[in-house]
Amino acid sequence: MLKIMSIAGARPNFMKLASIVRAVEKHNDDNEKTPVKHIIVHTGQHYDQKMSDSFFIDLGIPQPDINLEVGSGSHASQTAEIMKRFEPVLLDQCPDVLLVVGDVNSTIACTLVASKIEYPADQKRKRPIIVHVEAGLRSFDRDMPEEVNRILTDTISDLLFTTEESCLSQLQSEGVALEQVHFVGNVMIDTLMQHVEKAERSIIKEDLGLDNPYVLVTLHRPSNVDRQETLQPIIECLMQITQQQHIVFPVHPRTKSSLEKFGLFQILEKNPAITLADPLGYLDFLKLIKDAKVVITDSGGIQEETTVLKVPCVTLRENTERPVTVNIGTNYLIGTDPARIVKTVSEILQGNGKKGEIPPLWDGHAGERIVEILLSCAS
Ligand code: UD1
């Protein structure tokens, strides 16, 4: 038997985990000889019903076996609290493999614990094989907490699973050995492909009273939302866009608290051409992306989802760790200059948006490839 422990902590992790859950279930159904035991640990980094629980339900992931319930905090206290609470769990369970996804604080915290752990002497291993899914992505912007998490997690992981061809040369340039890296495709896209039909049946548009075309907006990057001098021009820009098209804006808790602090939330609320919503469930949000004319975002994963759904995506960042979405997909990386945002969105609304292609191996089978490789490396 192979024992895999997977970590999930924040919203974007849950979609990635769902692909692994499904791949393990498929393996166990098809193969009685080497069963895989899958233990899910939720760190509790995201804890709201709308940021966490609803995803487990929508995605059909079993409830976590263990919840560390760390909650919010500064980067240092959140990371430290996860580490403190995770160490005894790892020592108790002693999995063969520790699988982490993405780039959130939970990812680096659990990786760091596993890299220094020493299992009891009666165990066949000294520590788990550490596996990073979605390795090798780089924005080259170390002011992003996620970039620091990515670099550190890759450095101390044993096996690195990548989503884009460019990741291999990047990892090699950082000293990672070729044998550690496997280009497997994109687990987030596995989950999208598995749920897109179900999402089509979502009644979110009726619930929000949307019967006209719309632009979908999401914002939560600290560099965009934490300071008034960056957030206010973006909001003004959205107000200008509403002169051309209705906007739907599900608001992340971090963004909501900034908007309220800077007196901007009321301005949005008063505009009849803006529909505000709480954070949405996975299926409802997928439906909104699929039917949007344009998506404006600063998220990482949404750049990928729009590429696969062939919806133009305007990314309000100076860099992206996912260049394939710009080079092959439908993504426009345009920064936060208001004139440029309005011009790009207008051009797309006039029907001149990128059509894009689907990147190599984003075919819905990344999770299965990962489980197969783990079985051959770890059994
Ligand atoms: C985190 C990730 C980011 C990911 C994002 C998706 C890190 C460093 N960042 O950013 O990579 O793209 O999640 O959402 O790990 N809050 C709630 N309810 C919750 C969770 C958070 O109200 O369930 C509030 C808290 O007040 C918290 C704030 O949102 O202070 C930010 O949450 P946090 O997990 O620290 O970072 P995110 O901005 O969500």
Side-chain angles (χ1 to χ4, degrees), residues 114-142:
S115 71
K116 297 187 193 172
I117 204 93
E118 204 159 322
Y119 283 172
D122 60 348
Q123 293 294 318
K124 65 177 183 208
R125 300 175 190 280
K126 185 179 156 292
R127 65 164 179 82
I129 299 172
I130 306 170
V131 170
H132 187 204
V133 174
E134 211 184 60
L137 296 176
R138 297 288 180 271
S139 66
F140 303 102
D141 173 3
R142 292 204 182 187

Side-chain angles (χ1 to χ4, degrees), residues 28-80:
N28 284 343
D29 285 349
D30 298 350
N31 185 323
E32 283 164 13
K33 271 215 318 261
T34 332
V36 174
K37 181 171 164 57
H38 194 194
I39 304 162
I40 298 174
V41 177
H42 190 329
T43 64
Q45 177 176 347
H46 283 178
Y47 44 85
D48 280 352
Q49 206 275 337
K50 292 190 170 95
M51 297 291 285
S52 173
D53 300 358
S54 81
F55 285 80
F56 280 78
I57 297 163
D58 274 6
L59 296 166
I61 321 174
Q63 283 306 306
D65 298 283
I66 296 151
N67 193 324
L68 306 178
E69 296 181 345
V70 293
S72 299
S74 68
H75 284 285
S77 67
Q78 190 176 59
T79 308

Side-chain angles (χ1 to χ4, degrees), residues 336-369:
T336 52
D337 171 44
R340 195 161 171 218
I341 300 172
V342 174
K343 184 166 174 277
T344 309
V345 172
S346 302
E347 279 171 14
I348 298 169
L349 289 175
Q350 281 156 26
N352 301 322
K354 287 187 188 182
K355 301 286 172 277
E357 298 291 330
I358 306 222
L361 292 191
W362 290 20
D363 59 359
H365 298 290
E368 291 155 45
R369 292 184 193 106

Side-chain angles (χ1 to χ4, degrees), residues 21-288:
V21 168
R22 199 179 121 250
V24 168
E25 281 169 1
K26 185 163 184 287
H27 167 83
N28 284 343
D29 285 349
D30 298 350
N31 185 323
E32 283 164 13
K33 271 215 318 261
T34 332
V36 174
K37 181 171 164 57
H38 194 194
I39 304 162
I40 298 174
V41 177
H42 190 329
T43 64
Q45 177 176 347
H46 283 178
Y47 44 85
D48 280 352
Q49 206 275 337
K50 292 190 170 95
M51 297 291 285
S52 173
D53 300 358
S54 81
F55 285 80
F56 280 78
I57 297 163
D58 274 6
L59 296 166
I61 321 174
Q63 283 306 306
D65 298 283
I66 296 151
N67 193 324
L68 306 178
E69 296 181 345
V70 293
S72 299
S74 68
H75 284 285
S77 67
Q78 190 176 59
T79 308
E81 202 53 47
I82 297 169
M83 290 180 71
K84 264 167 65 184
R85 295 186 191 196
F86 180 56
E87 187 177 46
V89 168
L90 189 58
L91 277 175
D92 180 48
Q93 296 287 335
C94 296
D96 299 298
V97 172
L98 177 78
L99 186 148
V100 296
V101 297
D103 56 16
V104 301
N105 287 340
S106 303
T107 311
I108 178 60
C110 295
T111 305
L112 197 47
V113 171
S115 71
K116 297 187 193 172
I117 204 93
E118 204 159 322
Y119 283 172
D122 60 348
Q123 293 294 318
K124 65 177 183 208
R125 300 175 190 280
K126 185 179 156 292
R127 65 164 179 82
I129 299 172
I130 306 170
V131 170
H132 187 204
V133 174
E134 211 184 60
L137 296 176
R138 297 288 180 271
S139 66
F140 303 102
D141 173 3
R142 292 204 182 187
D143 286 339
M144 276 178 88
E146 294 83 356
E147 181 74 353
V148 176
N149 293 343
R150 286 190 277 262
I151 294 168
L152 298 179
T153 302
D154 284 344
T155 304
I156 52 179
S157 292
D158 301 304
L159 282 178
L160 301 162
F161 291 112
T162 61
T163 53
E164 298 191 16
E165 279 157 314
S166 64
C167 298
L168 174 61
S169 54
Q170 179 57 35
L171 287 166
Q172 282 188 296
S173 77
E174 294 175 19
V176 171
L178 181 65
E179 318 75 81
Q180 288 176 266
V181 185
H182 298 266
F183 173 39
V184 289
N186 191 324
V187 286
M188 190 147 190
I189 300 308
D190 293 356
T191 299
L192 183 152
M193 289 182 173
Q194 217 216 331
H195 288 85
V196 75
E197 231 177 87
K198 208 164 161 198
E200 197 47 62
R201 298 195 289 276
S202 153
I203 54 161
I204 187 67
K205 285 168 68 180
E206 289 80 350
D207 285 352
L208 296 176
L210 286 174
D211 36 25
N212 290 320
Y214 61 88
V215 174
L216 179 63
V217 175
T218 81
L219 291 172
H220 76 279
R221 261 313 124 221
S223 59
N224 282 338
V225 307
D226 283 2
R227 293 198 325 273
Q228 183 162 8
E229 59 267 33
T230 46
L231 186 56
Q232 186 154 347
I234 296 176
I235 297 304
E236 284 164 4
C237 193
L238 298 182
M239 303 298 271
Q240 269 192 57
I241 292 169
T242 58
Q243 290 164 15
Q244 297 176 63
Q245 191 94 119
H246 195 88
I247 283 184
V248 183
F249 185 5
V251 188
H252 187 285
R254 172 180 213 110
T255 311
K256 186 161 188 200
S257 95
S258 293
L259 288 168
E260 284 172 343
K261 191 160 77 192
F262 308 141
L264 296 166
F265 198 71
Q266 298 88 314
I267 298 176
L268 290 169
E269 264 180 329
K270 276 196 211 128
N271 186 330
I274 297 186
T275 302
L276 296 174
D278 286 334
L280 296 172
Y282 181 69
L283 298 171
D284 290 341
F285 191 69
L286 204 54
K287 169 71 175 164
L288 286 186

